[in-house]
Amino acid sequence: KERNSGTFNYGAYHSLDTLYNTISSIAQDYSSLVTRQQIGTSYEGRPIYVLKFSTGTNRPGIWVDAGIHAREWVTQATALWTAHKLASDYGKDASVTSLLNSHDVFLLVVTNPDGYVYSHSADRMWRKTRSVNSGSRCYGVDPNRNWDAGFGGPGASSDPCSDTYRGPRAESEVEVKAVADFIRAHGRIKGFISIHSYSQYLLIPYGYKCTNPADYTELMNVGRAATSSLSSLYGTKYTVGTICTTIYQSSGGSIDWTYDLGIKYSFAFELRDTGRYGFLLPTTQILPTAQETWLGLKKIVEHIRDNPY
Amino acid sequence: ERTFIGDQVLRIKAKSYDEINQLQALETLAHLQLDFWAEPHNPDIPVDIRVPFENLQSVKVYLESNNFEYSIMIEDLQKVIDEEKQEMEMNAR
């Protein structure tokens, strides 16, 4: 039987090849809605694919990415499930249909493909990219300290051996630059949501400084509505707040960069934790995580759809 | 391939911001090779640290001598990774 995106086992962890095959299958199975675009190439030469969900031209866009930190496997799994959900619900679910009739959605399932492969083959706890750091025995940069937002400030390391190494300069990592170039070139991205795990937070800017963003009240209200909806499925409790007040000051993060670029609806999700497994969340948890996250995501994208700016 | 035999993930409950500061100081001790899965920032939220087997004793002594409340979240990390691998192989088949 020919493989297709409908029979794929979304409740399992898969190799990069399998994820990429499924990304292609989704684009083939829903070809009138979904296209696969390569937005760049990783340090080790792997393609960086984004799925574009679109029903028209010149639409404002919403960006969703997952897996910037390689070892957070539940995030890549959640993003792939979400891709299939978006595609299969178009024309059936009124909210998804109305969203995609007005906005394009760009979904980057594996933001850090080299790191993902490395976490499968050499070090399950790998978090960073796999670039060579000149003059150091240590590899890789924390791609979520490498954006041009307070780059080099507190909460990022200058030590190439650290798991939070910021890199030699902002956007030194091709994986970061590919996304930043795409966002800049598009020019009409209205929402940017980055998916991480596993602390159960919905975070808003800022992380590089401890001041609230201008749209703090609105973002907090959207965040609370999203986490309330998310919690309605399995009771998973989320905390909403700025990166600085909720976690700690950290510079060079993606949603700070997008917010300062003018993308008001910039959020970072930290998906669920069962309290026992951390990054090794069992596969039985993938579908519940994806399903509840979808409810939260939906609230955010509905707000973006209904509040143009 | 890197293995994590005997590595544990400790879940530490800080009781105050003083304890949070002590845990942050622990983070700067590079020789312990600690991997902070959940960072110390707020006493309301537990801190998760992966501790390599060879440094378990030192870290536990530090925590106990400073009266930190902690539990073992993952007893043997490699065991969980092996289970995950087996599951992936089964799914791939």
Side-chain angles (χ1 to χ4, degrees), chain A residues 68-120:
Chain A
I68 196 168
H69 290 144
R71 65 189 180 181
E72 298 169 6
W73 286 5
V74 75
T75 68
Q76 294 94 341
T78 295
L80 194 67
W81 182 92
T82 304
H84 185 251
K85 181 75 178 161
L86 260 178
S88 57
D89 274 9
Y90 179 72
K92 295 178 193 157
D93 178 285
S95 170
V96 170
T97 306
S98 135
L99 171 75
L100 293 175
N101 282 341
S102 61
H103 286 71
D104 292 345
V105 173
F106 298 94
L107 183 54
L108 179 56
V109 174
V110 188
T111 308
N112 176 5
D114 295 349
Y116 189 72
V117 169
Y118 198 73
S119 73
H120 273 257

Side-chain angles (χ1 to χ4, degrees), chain A residues 71 122 124 198 246-247 283, chain B residues 2 35 37 41 48 84 87:
Chain A
R71 65 189 180 181
R124 174 66 183 87
Y198 65 97
T246 311
I247 308 184
T283 51
Chain B
R2 184 169 177 191
D35 174 13
W37 284 16
H41 57 91
D48 295 339
E84 186 183 60
E87 204 166 8

Side-chain angles (χ1 to χ4, degrees), chain A residues 3 14-24 46 116-117:
Chain A
R3 221 168 24 181
H14 297 280
S15 67
L16 184 72
D17 287 344
T18 307
L19 294 189
Y20 274 8
N21 283 336
T22 309
I23 284 169
S24 302
R46 297 182 175 87
Y116 189 72
V117 169

Side-chain angles (χ1 to χ4, degrees), chain A residues 251-301:
Chain A
S251 56
S254 64
I255 67 165
D256 284 357
W257 178 75
T258 55
Y259 187 78
D260 281 347
L261 192 69
I263 301 174
K264 175 161 71 163
Y265 299 114
S266 292
F267 294 90
F269 253 112
E270 287 273 354
L271 304 188
R272 73 149 66 175
D273 170 26
T274 59
R276 279 182 295 168
Y277 296 98
F279 300 118
L280 296 155
L281 197 68
T283 51
T284 52
Q285 296 289 315
I286 295 173
L287 294 180
T289 305
Q291 287 159 353
E292 68 181 11
T293 305
W294 171 243
L295 297 183
L297 271 175
K298 219 169 154 186
K299 278 284 172 199
I300 296 174
V301 297

Side-chain angles (χ1 to χ4, degrees), chain B residues 12-63:
Chain B
I12 303 159
K13 181 81 185 72
K15 292 186 282 290
S16 63
Y17 279 99
D18 273 353
E19 289 196 350
I20 289 289
N21 292 339
Q22 281 177 276
L23 292 172
Q24 284 169 346
L26 201 59
E27 201 170 4
T28 62
L29 303 178
H31 68 280
L32 290 175
Q33 297 174 286
L34 302 180
D35 174 13
F36 279 72
W37 284 16
E39 302 279 342
H41 57 91
N42 182 336
D44 296 335
I45 296 160
V47 177
D48 295 339
I49 311 176
R50 176 174 63 80
V51 186
F53 175 71
E54 58 273 22
N55 296 324
L56 263 178
Q57 197 177 355
S58 318
V59 173
K60 284 181 176 175
V61 165
Y62 176 86
L63 294 174

